[in-house]
Amino acid sequence: MTHRCGTIGMTGRPNTGKSSLLNRLVGEKLSIVSAKPQTTRHLVTGILTRPGCQYIFVDAPGQQASAKSTLHRRLNRRATEAARDADVALFVVEALKFTDEDRMALERIPKEQRIVAAINKIDTLKNREQLIPFLDRLAKTRDFAAMVPVSARTGKNIQELLSALREALPEGAAVYPADQLTDRDERFFAAELLREKIFESMGQELPYRCEVVIDSFKQEGRLRRIEATILVERDSQKPIVLGAGGGRLKRIATAARKDMEKLFGGKVYLGAWVKVRKAWTDDARVLRQLGYE
Ligand SMILES: Nc1nc2c(ncn2[C@@H]2O[C@H](COP(=O)(O)OP(=O)(O)OP(=O)(O)O)[C@@H](O)[C@H]2O)c(=O)[nH]1
Ligand SMILES: [Mg+2]
């Protein structure tokens, strides 16, 4: 059997389940997930090594039709590059839902790029027949190497998706050791898990005004001691994140710490503070400092 190896850039509009799918494909929660769109901000690599094939998945932000802030324009650019620079683009759409935003996301993938389409969330369908006309219409939008209906939630058809992706990947030896799961470090995942809890516990708008910075990450024997700052854009947002008597921040930090302990397999101390960094989502200098080039 020829050995294959390559990168797979996850792409699509926000909220189609790209991060959920990455986690399901590699069998570990690497990329944060929320019911709100535009959760993912960073490229997250998830590596799956199987006999005969190494899959290097790259999760990316969702492509937004109307990017209002500098941050969102940077995220769109990041998403475009991830799909373009990969060996294969994995275009993730929701079953029975192909919107203008999906079309725009698809158009951002260069014409010559090889694309596999994953039609996600099929667990929500009443019957599978409903998919046939949808697949027919989707097939007319682009020349896909394959179209695979899947459910990131239940794991349905994940093996079929892996087979289709294998076919689309170039021949080559593995790039990473077989037991390596990601190229991101614990510091990165600590920040992401804290950001996920902010997305889960705050209202519609505030999560988009928040960013997490890890100020220090120390290993003390078996304990990981982590100090983090949550940046907000305005003074008025700070008390909202804190909640009455600091109760909300405490709940957010506790939930994040528990997830970190699960992922790292050891005790974590997490200190979290809230600071105002005025209009950071539109400040090119701050965005650069935060790693949004
Ligand atoms: N029913 C169902 N829901 C799903 C499935 N996959 C993802 N979801 C839900 O869809 C929502 C968005 O999931 P994400 O994985 O964060 O989506 P995303 O495409 O990464 O979103 P962005 O990072 O914002 O672009 C979450 O509420 C998930 O639980 C699925 O297969 N079935
Ligand atoms: Mg995501």
Side-chain angles (χ1 to χ4, degrees):
M1 189 163 63
T2 49
H3 194 280
R4 293 178 190 268
C5 174
T7 50
I8 298 149
M10 325 265 305
T11 187
R13 74 162 156 79
N15 220 32
T16 57
K18 297 175 292 301
S19 301
S20 307
L21 194 55
L22 172 107
N23 294 342
R24 173 63 77 174
L25 284 159
V26 301
E28 184 81 44
K29 191 184 144 184
L30 293 178
S31 200
I32 65 168
V33 167
S34 89
K36 297 186 175 75
Q38 303 152 28
T39 303
T40 303
R41 290 181 189 163
H42 303 281
L43 301 182
V44 184
T45 302
I47 305 156
L48 176 69
T49 304
R50 286 280 176 86
C53 191
Q54 184 168 70
Y55 304 83
I56 305 162
F57 295 99
V58 181
D59 189 20
Q63 283 279 6
Q64 300 169 59
S66 60
K68 293 192 188 80
S69 65
T70 311
L71 172 67
H72 284 148
R73 283 192 293 279
R74 300 256 160 109
L75 296 182
N76 269 0
R77 196 167 68 204
R78 194 169 264 185
T80 302
E81 288 169 359
R84 184 197 65 200
D85 298 344
D87 292 305
V88 181
L90 178 57
F91 180 61
V92 183
V93 288
E94 274 182 54
L96 308 188
K97 210 168 155 191
F98 191 82
T99 64
D100 286 345
E101 207 170 23
D102 289 288
R103 189 179 306 281
M104 188 212 79
L106 187 56
E107 280 166 4
R108 294 236 173 129
I109 311 173
K111 288 278 169 286
E112 59 283 3
Q113 178 62 296
R114 196 173 294 188
I115 313 175
V116 170
I119 296 86
N120 191 28
K121 309 196 185 183
I122 57 167
D123 56 290
T124 61
L125 297 178
K126 290 210 176 63
N127 73 61
R128 296 285 294 276
E129 311 258 295
Q130 293 175 288
L131 261 188
I132 298 165
F134 181 80
L135 290 174
D136 281 345
R137 258 180 291 131
L138 189 63
K140 292 198 180 92
T141 62
R142 200 70 179 253
D143 186 16
F144 295 108
M147 297 193 300
V148 188
V150 294
S151 168
R153 180 157 293 173
T154 66
K156 180 96 181 151
N157 279 356
I158 292 298
Q159 294 313 317
E160 286 76 359
L161 180 57
L162 285 171
S163 304
L165 287 168
R166 185 183 186 281
E167 290 299 304
L169 285 175
E171 283 182 26
V175 173
Y176 292 100
D179 60 352
Q180 189 168 337
L181 202 61
T182 182
D183 63 353
R184 291 291 194 169
D185 60 9
E186 290 188 351
R187 197 182 175 104
F188 172 79
F189 291 114
E192 286 290 272
L193 287 171
L194 185 52
R195 205 163 60 77
E196 181 180 63
K197 303 310 160 201
I198 296 169
F199 265 76
E200 278 170 4
S201 65
M202 309 285 289
Q204 284 305 313
E205 185 52 28
L206 209 49
Y208 303 110
R209 308 287 155 204
C210 290
E211 177 69 338
V212 173
V213 177
I214 302 296
D215 302 313
S216 84
F217 191 120
K218 290 193 196 117
Q219 187 89 39
E220 294 175 357
R222 291 185 22 216
L223 176 80
R224 287 162 178 83
R225 182 178 292 278
I226 305 169
E227 309 280 355
T229 300
I230 299 170
L231 301 181
V232 292
E233 283 207 310
R234 275 188 265 130
D235 295 324
S236 60
Q237 291 162 346
K238 191 171 165 174
I240 306 176
V241 178
L242 288 170
R248 177 180 279 140
L249 178 62
K250 201 171 271 172
R251 280 194 301 278
I252 289 173
T254 302
R257 176 179 55 76
K258 286 187 177 152
D259 273 17
M260 289 176 201
E261 290 182 336
K262 219 183 293 164
L263 185 66
F264 303 156
K267 277 241 158 288
V268 168
Y269 163 86
L270 175 63
W273 286 265
V274 185
K275 275 191 203 145
V276 181
R277 185 72 67 87
K278 291 255 155 54
W280 70 268
T281 60
D282 268 314
D283 187 326
R285 199 177 55 89
V286 176
L287 285 169
R288 214 168 21 250
Q289 281 170 1
L290 294 171
Y292 297 102
E293 293 298 335

